[in-house]
């Protein structure tokens, strides 16, 4: 076998900056370059064409030709209008350019880009959606129909373009095989926000007409493709550098888990192209979006790229003239699959009849008959009886030029090229490659040859080089998009390449080979299991899990047991014997709502963390736990990363983000996706998937961090309760908490200056405000609900119910205001789909209040109040409210601003609660209108309320009906550190706006 080492050249083809979102933009390339491949230099391309290697667009894989323009067209490089009637179009990727811009093109063609990825990281596609004014990163066409978007980076693609998307997503974690070099920009091309300005020339670099401009997925810097060469290659994470959890500080050994599982992304039905899905091609054969009727004199042909596509009936459609020559049809078919190899190395073969298509033997027979050459010099359309479906096949070869990459080995070349023959085995390749990499002194028995398939599939991922290379011949579980297979030492490579080409020509271009060290991986996967019954001991939880999912001894151990998970039960299950109906009504149940601070009703659930030392066992436990219920409660399973807190930079205070996706008129879902892109996805947690405890567990060893809660006041109370439970286990016991208000009232958000509610502000500016916010203290209060003194026959069973504890941040209401909140929750339970805006929610509150405007209950006759052990006589009131913050009922000042010598001036950190009474619905309306304040009753730090009848009670907006008994309110202990938004300093006239 002849071999030649190819030293690293420039970091990117054509010089300058890398392709947007391309592999070289990832930090894994470092300063190493790669040899400049020609159009046919990829895997399976065979011998390179004779003559000098092409430069400029040809070196980037483009096939430009001059075309006549029939409609307004813009250049994909400079985004300017192309004046005149002629432009230059790439037949493969639809890149359009001025003639003057051709020599400046630095974006590789879609067919060549995958071969330039050194560390492939698959994308994480969510459900289909409508993305206006966005463009597909594969075919560069506008996304007019529902398309897919990566949940981690700004990649947008058509559903049928997903298989051709380059696996160049952000690398958000350590893989366990190497330390990261300096973090470099991870460029993504196009789809820039409106008004984007180039960091170099300060001119507009975005476009709403074409896919143009670059943006770093980490620091957010934007630039023209040409101007990006002037920027330093190192990325500093930009404005959010103190908030981002650096990828080098996160370790997740996730060989068998998809990216959806690693980033805790809710799985959605995003099907692959179904049976018979097709893509119409233009006259040049490039992929389009819709299957249109061919013009007169043209015919559409179905084209498959291998046996796998035939079996799944996944084909592409090309349009060719009826007089097209076979070479022209073949080139169009190769362009449809973004194959840039020499057409002389391929042929088109007729597809077997439908009766034979499902037979593997018939597929093999198709490889030896029905070629275009046998049908004549013209294309298949020239013969009326010619088949309409064809398969692209690679011509057999007696030898192959193979690129071998050094994986994580510290060498000075990007790859080496060797020539393999029918006698070449994996062992022989390793022996020949090591001297070319300068590792001749190393023992060959310490290395192995690894095959990596970079093909992208929906919702799957892996990272090359991750610990736990598969055993020889094994296949990755969950069908990950980046699959790794360790080859047997005696396996013949030429036969393996032939099998790959037979299965799929596109897969052949997506396959590469790495030389990796044979190191015994030490697998360690942390699985969070939530929803367990509380009150059990450590061994009892082990026995419970062993009974439920049959954990294997020695492979899974309980590392952490949390006595309170903090995840509320749905209200339908929250009814206890001490919660009595009011006037025949049952306690509220709102299955359409997201989790809130329903700890008042649900009690506590337990959660444990399992440390699993076997990848296969971790996969098995994960799947079993998700399908298991204990005592009627379904369990929750999450894969948790490990934060390497000793590697955090000194000035780094990462932000732990909790998002309730069902809050704020479903705006939480968009915020969840935005924060995953702006930050590290490992620091963003969805509250509907395990609650806040997984996030606090991941950050438990971080010495200093902050928290952002996106949701309503109930969601904030839920997170604060979990924080109180986790406080003794945190290395940072007092993390400051910021709020992005998504609820209806948002009283706490108003007090802390975060506004009355989120109205679509730029998420980047929200994070910048969190970074600049000031820390303040706030009291937290404990409410003990003791209903054991209930009287009457109907309440005799309430004695067996133990006391329950609720925590309060904002206010606690007894009487009319809690009854209105109860009516609102019942209305939301009946029609949850209508409660998606604050305006509608407040209208429902208003209607419920008008219905009770003449109601008189005489609450002062049904309750008794003690303040600091002293009995307080109540005036004639219908509602009694304990307030901790100067905001109630969507911003109303219930206490009032008048000075009163009997009471101290209220503050939310003074250790005191204010007690206020309201006389009815009319009084409440006057308070919210600012015409009147409440009736000041008392101020203190310890309260005891005795309920003589079943009475509505609400805490921080969460209502229920409390049975007769006692309610004791006292301080919870340490004050909570909150973040208050800093006041914006007015800019002087003429002062330029800060970038």
């Amino acid at each position: 076998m002849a071999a030649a080492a190819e030293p690293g050249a420039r970091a990117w083809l054509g010089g300058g900056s890398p392709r947007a979102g391309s592999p070289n933009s990832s930090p894994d390339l470092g300063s190493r370059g790669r040899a400049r491949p020609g159009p046919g230099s990829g895997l399976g391309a065979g011998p390179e064409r004779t003559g000098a290697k092409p430069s400029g667009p040809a070196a980037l894989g483009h096939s430009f030709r001059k075309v006549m323009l029939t409609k307004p067209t813009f250049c994909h490089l400079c985004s300017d209008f192309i004046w005149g009637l002629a432009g230059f179009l790439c037949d493969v990727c639809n890149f359009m350019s001025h003639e003057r811009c051709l020599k400046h093109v630095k974006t590789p063609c879609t067919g060549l880009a995958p071969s330039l990825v050194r560390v492939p990281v698959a994308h994480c596609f969510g459900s289909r959606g409508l993305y206006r004014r966005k463009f597909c990163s594969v075919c560069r066409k506008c996304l007019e129909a529902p398309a897919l978007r990566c949940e981690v980076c700004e990649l947008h693609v058509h559903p049928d373009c997903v298989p051709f998307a380059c696996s160049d997503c952000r690398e958000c974690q350590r893989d366990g095989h190497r330390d990261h070099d300096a973090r470099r920009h991870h460029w993504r091309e196009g789809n820039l926000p409106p008004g984007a300005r180039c960091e170099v020339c300060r001119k507009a670099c975005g476009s709403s007409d074409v896919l143009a401009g670059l943006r770093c997925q980490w620091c957010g810097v934007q630039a023209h493709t040409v101007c990006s060469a002037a920027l330093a290659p190192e990325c500093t994470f930009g404005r959010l550098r103190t908030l981002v959890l650096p990828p080098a500080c996160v370790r997740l050994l996730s060989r068998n888990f998809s990216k959806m599982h690693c980033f805790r992304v809710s799985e959605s039905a995003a099907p692959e192209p179904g049976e018979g899905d097709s893509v119409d091609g233009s006259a040049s054969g490039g992929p389009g979006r819709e299957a249109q009727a061919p013009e007169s004199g043209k015919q559409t042909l179905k084209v498959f790229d291998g046996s796998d596509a035939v079996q799944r009936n996944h084909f592409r459609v090309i349009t060719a003239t009826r007089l097209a020559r076979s070479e022209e049809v073949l080139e169009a078919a190769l362009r449809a699959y973004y194959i840039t190899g020499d057409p002389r190395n391929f042929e088109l073969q007729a597809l077997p009849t439908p009766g034979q298509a499902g037979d593997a033997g018939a597929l093999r027979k198709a490889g030896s008959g029905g070629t275009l050459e046998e049908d004549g010099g013209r294309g298949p359309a020239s013969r009326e009886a010619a088949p309409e479906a064809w398969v692209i096949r690679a011509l057999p070869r007696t030898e192959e030029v193979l690129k071998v990459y050094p994986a994580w080995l510290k060498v000075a070349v990007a790859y080496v090229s060797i020539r393999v023959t029918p006698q070449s085995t994996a062992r022989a390749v390793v022996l020949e490659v090591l001297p070319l990499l300068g590792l001749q002194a190393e023992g060959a028995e310490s290395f192995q040859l690894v095959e990596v398939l970079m093909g992208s599939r929906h919702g799957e991922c892996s990272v090359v080089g991750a610990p736990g290379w598969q055993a020889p011949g094994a296949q990755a579980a969950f069908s990950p998009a980046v699959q790794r297979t360790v080859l047997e030492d005696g396996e013949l490579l030429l036969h393996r390449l032939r099998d790959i080409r037979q299965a799929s020509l596109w897969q052949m271009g997506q396959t590469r080979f790495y030389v990796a060290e044979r190191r015994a991986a030490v697998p360690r996967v942390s699985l969070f299991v939530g929803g367990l019954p509380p009150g059990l001991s450590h061994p009892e939880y082990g026995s419970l899990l062993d009974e439920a999912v049959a954990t294997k001894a020695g492979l899974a151990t309980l590392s952490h047991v949390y006595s309170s998970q903090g995840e509320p039960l749905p209200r339908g299950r929250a009814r206890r014997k001490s919660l009595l109906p009011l006037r025949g009504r049952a306690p509220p149940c709102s299955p359409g709502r997201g989790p809130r601070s329903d700890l008042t009703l649900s009690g506590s659930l337990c959660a444990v963390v399992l440390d699993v030392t076997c990848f296969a066992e971790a996969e098995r436990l994960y799947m079993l736990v998700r399908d298991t219920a204990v005592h009627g409660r379904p369990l929750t399973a999450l894969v948790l990363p490990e934060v390497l807190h000793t590697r955090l930079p000194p000035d780094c205070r990462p932000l732990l983000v909790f998002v309730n996706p069902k809050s704020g008129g479903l705006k939480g879902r968009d915020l969840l996706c935005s924060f995953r892109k702006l930050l590290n996805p490992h620091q963003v947690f969805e509250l509907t998937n395990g609650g806040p405890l997984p996030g606090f567990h991941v950050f438990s060893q971080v010495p200093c961090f902050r928290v952002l809660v996106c949701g309503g006041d109930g969601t904030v109370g839920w997170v604060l309760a979990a924080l109180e439970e986790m406080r003794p286990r945190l290395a940072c016991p007092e993390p400051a908490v910021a709020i992005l208000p998504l609820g209806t009232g948002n009283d706490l958000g108003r007090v802390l200056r975060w506004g009355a509610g989120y109205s679509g502000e730029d998420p980047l500016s929200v994070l910048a405000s969190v970074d600049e916010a000031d820390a303040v203290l706030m009291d937290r209060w404990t409410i003990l609900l003791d209903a054991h003194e209930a009287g009457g026959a109907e309440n005799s069973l309430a004695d067996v119910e133990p006391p329950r504890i609720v925590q309060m941040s904002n206010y606690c209401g007894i009487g009319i205001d809690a009854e209105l909140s109860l009516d609102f929750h019942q209305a939301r339970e009946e029609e949850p789909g209508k409660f998606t805006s604050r305006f509608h929610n407040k209208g429902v509150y208003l209607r419920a209040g008008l219905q009770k405007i003449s109601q008189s209950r005489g609450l002062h006759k049904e309750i008794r109040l003690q303040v600091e052990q002293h009995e307080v006589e109540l005036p004639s009131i219908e509602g009694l409210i304990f307030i901790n913050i100067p905001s109630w009922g969507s911003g109303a000042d219930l206490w009032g601003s008048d000075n009163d010598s009997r009471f101290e001036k209220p503050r939310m950190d003074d250790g005191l609660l204010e007690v206020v009474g309201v006389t009815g619905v009319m009084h409440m309306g006057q308070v919210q209108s600012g015409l009147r304040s409440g009736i000041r009753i008392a101020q203190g730090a310890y309260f005891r309320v005795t309920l003589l009848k079943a009475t509505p009670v609400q805490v921080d907006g969460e209502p229920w009906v409390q049975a007769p008994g006692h309610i004791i309110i006292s301080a919870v202990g340490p004050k909570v550190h909150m973040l208050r938004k800093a006041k914006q300093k007015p800019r002087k006239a003429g002062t330029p706006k800060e970038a």
Side-chain angles (χ1 to χ4, degrees):
M1 294 183 293
E6 300 188 15
R10 294 186 60 88
W12 190 248
L13 297 176
S17 200
R19 170 185 183 265
S22 68
N24 189 28
S25 61
S26 90
D28 304 277
L29 289 171
S31 59
R32 307 171 194 160
R34 66 186 79 256
R36 180 176 300 177
S41 61
L43 171 62
E48 296 184 0
R49 299 181 184 179
T50 59
K53 290 184 179 180
S55 60
L60 300 173
H62 291 293
S63 300
F64 283 111
R65 62 183 175 91
K66 195 172 184 180
V67 295
M68 189 68 64
L69 303 179
T70 59
K71 60 182 180 180
T73 308
F74 296 83
C75 177
H76 290 195
L77 181 67
C78 65
S79 70
D80 290 340
F81 183 78
I82 300 180
W83 296 95
L85 300 178
F88 287 83
L89 175 70
C90 175
D91 286 330
V92 179
C93 67
N94 299 318
F95 192 102
M96 178 67 72
S97 173
H98 290 103
E99 183 176 6
R100 68 174 186 268
C101 292
L102 284 177
K103 60 183 178 180
H104 301 294
V105 174
K106 296 179 176 61
T107 303
C109 185
T110 301
L112 183 66
S115 66
L116 304 179
V117 181
R118 172 149 193 188
V119 179
V121 181
H123 296 283
C124 182
F125 293 110
S127 58
R128 301 189 185 191
L130 289 174
Y131 304 105
R132 300 183 183 277
R133 311 297 289 181
K134 299 292 184 181
F135 295 87
C136 176
S137 295
V138 175
C139 67
R140 310 184 71 88
K141 295 186 177 181
C142 185
L143 300 177
E144 299 175 350
L148 296 174
R149 175 184 64 182
C150 179
E151 296 287 334
V152 181
C153 67
E154 285 292 336
L155 183 86
H156 296 75
V157 291
H158 293 103
D160 53 280
C161 289
V162 169
F164 306 100
C166 184
S167 298
D168 58 355
C169 193
R170 287 194 300 166
E171 187 178 5
C172 302
Q173 65 208 31
R174 288 188 63 191
D175 47 54
H177 270 235
R178 66 188 281 264
D179 294 333
H180 281 258
D181 298 325
R183 176 64 52 178
R184 294 177 177 267
H185 291 298
H186 189 104
W187 298 109
R188 178 69 63 206
E189 184 182 19
N191 296 321
L192 301 185
R197 293 281 175 178
C198 177
E199 187 73 13
V200 178
C201 66
R202 306 308 304 170
K203 296 181 180 179
C205 60
S207 174
S208 59
D209 301 299
V210 291
L211 193 72
L214 300 178
R215 182 177 186 273
C216 176
Q217 297 297 285
W218 284 112
C219 66
V221 64
Q222 300 163 143
H224 294 101
T225 304
V226 177
C227 294
S228 61
L231 295 173
E234 290 77 16
C235 179
T236 61
F237 294 107
R239 175 67 183 83
L240 306 178
R241 60 183 175 275
T242 60
L243 301 180
V244 174
L245 183 63
C249 302
V250 182
R251 180 167 57 195
L252 179 59
L253 311 184
S254 56
R255 186 193 71 174
N256 287 354
F257 293 99
S258 73
K259 207 167 188 179
M260 304 285 283
H261 301 151
C262 296
F263 294 147
R264 303 166 301 280
V265 178
S266 299
E267 298 184 17
S268 54
E272 297 185 15
E275 180 177 344
D277 280 7
S278 62
V279 179
D280 173 55
S282 62
S284 60
R289 298 280 67 77
E290 299 176 357
Q292 301 174 355
E295 301 176 6
S296 176
K298 295 184 178 180
Q299 183 176 0
T300 58
L301 303 173
K302 296 179 182 179
V303 178
F304 299 85
D305 75 326
S307 303
D308 287 351
V310 173
Q311 292 176 356
R312 293 178 297 159
N313 198 23
H314 288 180
F315 56 85
R316 310 283 280 180
V317 175
I318 63 173
T319 303
T321 61
R322 297 185 181 275
L323 299 179
R325 298 186 59 83
S326 59
E327 295 83 359
E328 297 173 351
V329 178
L330 177 59
E331 291 180 359
L334 293 176
R335 287 195 297 266
Y337 280 96
Y338 300 99
I339 298 174
T340 58
D342 189 343
R344 292 173 294 182
N345 295 327
F346 303 91
E347 66 179 3
L348 279 177
Q349 298 177 353
L351 187 69
T353 61
Q356 298 174 324
D359 180 48
L363 290 177
R364 288 192 294 268
K365 293 178 183 178
S368 59
T371 64
L372 282 175
E373 286 73 11
E374 295 174 357
D375 287 338
R378 298 292 179 182
S382 63
R383 299 172 59 93
E384 295 182 359
E388 295 185 359
W390 298 79
V391 183
I392 311 175
R393 296 293 188 188
L395 297 177
R397 299 165 189 170
T398 57
E399 60 182 22
E400 188 86 34
V401 176
L402 183 67
K403 294 178 182 177
V404 181
Y405 293 76
W408 305 126
L409 305 178
K410 300 294 184 179
V411 295
V413 295
Y415 60 83
V416 295
S417 294
I418 64 173
R419 194 173 301 275
V420 297
T421 63
Q423 292 76 35
S424 300
T425 62
R427 182 67 172 173
V429 169
V430 172
L431 291 173
E432 189 169 1
V433 165
L434 289 181
L436 300 177
L437 297 176
L439 301 174
Q440 56 270 19
E442 304 287 341
E445 65 277 358
S446 301
F447 297 89
Q448 58 191 359
L449 192 63
V450 181
E451 177 189 302
V452 177
L453 172 61
M454 303 182 298
S456 182
R457 300 173 72 91
H458 290 287
E460 304 292 349
C461 92
S462 181
V463 179
V464 172
W469 295 93
Q470 292 178 239
Q475 295 297 324
F478 292 173
S479 299
V482 179
Q483 302 181 31
R484 308 173 303 278
T485 305
V486 178
L487 300 183
E488 295 279 2
D489 289 342
E491 185 160 3
L492 297 175
L493 284 184
L494 199 61
H495 291 174
R496 189 165 187 89
L497 295 179
R498 181 193 59 195
D499 294 340
I500 296 174
R501 288 193 297 267
Q502 187 76 9
S504 172
L505 288 178
W506 173 251
Q507 177 180 330
M508 176 185 67
Q510 294 278 303
T511 304
R512 62 171 56 168
F513 294 86
Y514 287 81
V515 171
E517 294 181 274
R518 292 182 188 267
R519 59 171 61 184
V522 183
R524 181 177 178 272
V525 181
S526 294
L527 288 182
F528 173 89
V529 180
L532 296 171
L536 303 181
S537 63
H538 193 285
E540 288 174 332
Y541 280 118
S543 301
L544 179 63
L545 289 176
D546 183 57
E547 179 183 352
V549 295
T551 56
K552 296 182 180 179
L555 298 181
T557 59
L558 263 65
S559 61
H560 297 79
V561 176
Y562 296 103
S563 59
S564 177
Q565 181 185 345
E567 182 177 5
L569 289 170
R571 289 188 178 85
R573 301 176 183 172
R575 182 175 180 179
R576 292 176 175 265
K577 297 174 183 178
S578 61
L579 306 180
L580 300 181
L582 179 66
R583 297 187 178 92
R585 297 180 303 190
C589 171
S590 299
R593 296 193 61 209
R596 301 286 296 275
S597 58
D598 294 308
L599 298 174
T600 56
L601 307 181
S602 65
S604 299
L605 296 173
C606 178
V608 300
V609 177
L610 292 173
D611 284 345
V612 188
T613 58
C614 174
F615 290 120
E617 176 67 4
E619 172 196 348
R620 186 187 70 85
L621 290 177
Y622 179 83
M623 302 304 293
L624 281 179
V625 169
R626 298 176 64 190
D627 297 333
T628 302
V630 175
H631 298 173
R633 172 74 181 186
L635 300 183
T636 302
L638 297 176
V639 181
L640 299 183
E642 177 187 2
V643 177
L644 306 176
H645 59 279
T646 58
R647 293 177 171 267
L648 289 171
D651 62 340
C652 180
R653 292 187 297 167
L655 184 68
L656 176 59
V657 181
F658 295 109
V659 181
N660 187 347
K662 296 184 179 179
S663 295
L666 303 182
K667 293 179 181 177
R669 179 65 62 185
D670 294 334
L671 283 172
L672 189 65
C673 185
S674 298
F675 287 141
R676 285 192 180 121
K677 291 180 173 63
L678 293 172
L679 303 171
N680 192 322
H682 288 299
Q683 64 187 109
V684 181
F685 289 80
E686 183 178 349
L687 286 173
T688 55
N689 191 12
L693 188 55
F696 286 124
H697 173 81
V698 171
F699 275 62
S700 60
Q701 299 302 316
V702 178
C704 183
F705 68 93
R706 288 169 287 183
V707 180
L708 173 62
V709 182
C710 306
D713 288 341
T715 302
V716 176
W718 180 17
V719 174
L720 291 178
L723 174 60
E724 187 67 26
E725 182 73 23
M726 283 288 297
R727 193 186 303 274
R729 308 191 187 202
L730 297 179
C732 176
E734 300 293 345
V737 181
I739 300 173
L740 183 57
L742 299 180
T744 302
N746 301 315
D747 291 291
L748 186 56
R750 296 169 189 265
V751 172
L752 298 176
R753 299 179 187 156
W754 295 107
Y758 177 72
S759 56
E761 294 84 359
D762 183 13
L764 178 61
S765 65
V766 172
L767 295 177
S769 299
V770 173
D771 192 27
E772 300 170 353
D774 304 319
V776 297
L777 295 176
M778 184 184 72
D779 296 325
R780 287 272 290 169
W781 299 84
T782 296
I783 302 178
L784 175 63
L785 304 173
D786 188 1
H788 71 277
E789 294 187 3
E794 64 174 354
N795 300 331
S796 58
L797 295 178
D799 296 342
V800 300
E801 190 66 31
R804 290 167 294 113
I805 294 178
V806 184
Q807 292 183 349
M808 181 192 77
S809 301
N810 301 351
Y811 42 74
C812 171
I814 304 174
I816 184 62
D817 69 316
E819 191 169 350
L820 292 179
S821 182
L822 191 63
D823 291 341
F824 170 81
H825 283 274
Q826 289 178 336
R828 177 160 46 187
E829 177 191 73
E830 295 174 358
E831 297 178 298
K834 293 185 177 180
F835 292 78
T836 57
S837 69
R838 298 186 193 94
F839 182 79
H840 178 270
N841 293 354
K842 292 180 180 180
V844 176
Y845 266 114
L846 177 61
R847 184 171 65 250
L850 293 176
Q851 294 173 353
K852 300 181 183 299
I853 195 169
S854 60
Q855 176 180 317
S856 178
R857 177 188 179 99
L859 182 68
H860 59 286
K861 301 176 182 179
E862 300 177 356
I863 64 174
R864 299 289 183 266
L865 173 64
Q866 289 183 2
V867 180
E868 307 289 356
Q869 306 297 330
H870 299 289
E871 190 82 21
V872 175
E873 184 177 354
L874 297 176
S876 178
I877 58 175
E878 294 296 326
L880 187 67
I881 305 170
F882 301 83
I883 55 177
N884 184 46
I885 59 175
S887 179
W888 169 86
S890 299
D893 186 3
L894 190 59
W895 182 262
S897 58
D898 296 338
N899 295 327
D900 193 333
S901 58
R902 298 176 301 166
F903 307 108
E904 298 181 14
K905 185 177 180 179
R907 299 197 323 269
M908 65 180 183
D909 62 343
D910 57 2
L912 300 175
L913 280 180
E914 288 70 47
V915 185
V916 184
V918 292
T919 59
V921 174
M922 183 66 71
H923 188 186
M924 294 170 60
Q926 293 172 339
V927 170
Q928 292 184 333
S929 301
L931 303 176
R932 190 178 171 188
S933 59
I935 302 174
R936 298 178 181 178
I937 296 177
Q939 189 180 52
Y942 179 84
F943 305 88
R944 183 186 183 94
V945 180
T946 303
L947 300 182
L948 304 180
K949 294 182 179 181
T951 307
V953 176
Q954 63 101 355
V955 174
D956 292 345
E958 303 300 326
W960 72 95
V961 180
Q962 179 64 28
H966 296 300
I967 299 177
I968 300 176
I969 305 176
S970 60
V972 76
K975 301 180 186 295
V976 180
H977 292 251
M978 305 297 293
L979 288 175
R980 181 170 58 193
K981 188 176 182 180
K983 291 184 177 180
Q984 296 181 353
K985 298 181 180 179
R987 290 189 299 110
K988 296 182 180 180
T991 303
K993 185 177 181 181
E994 184 181 358

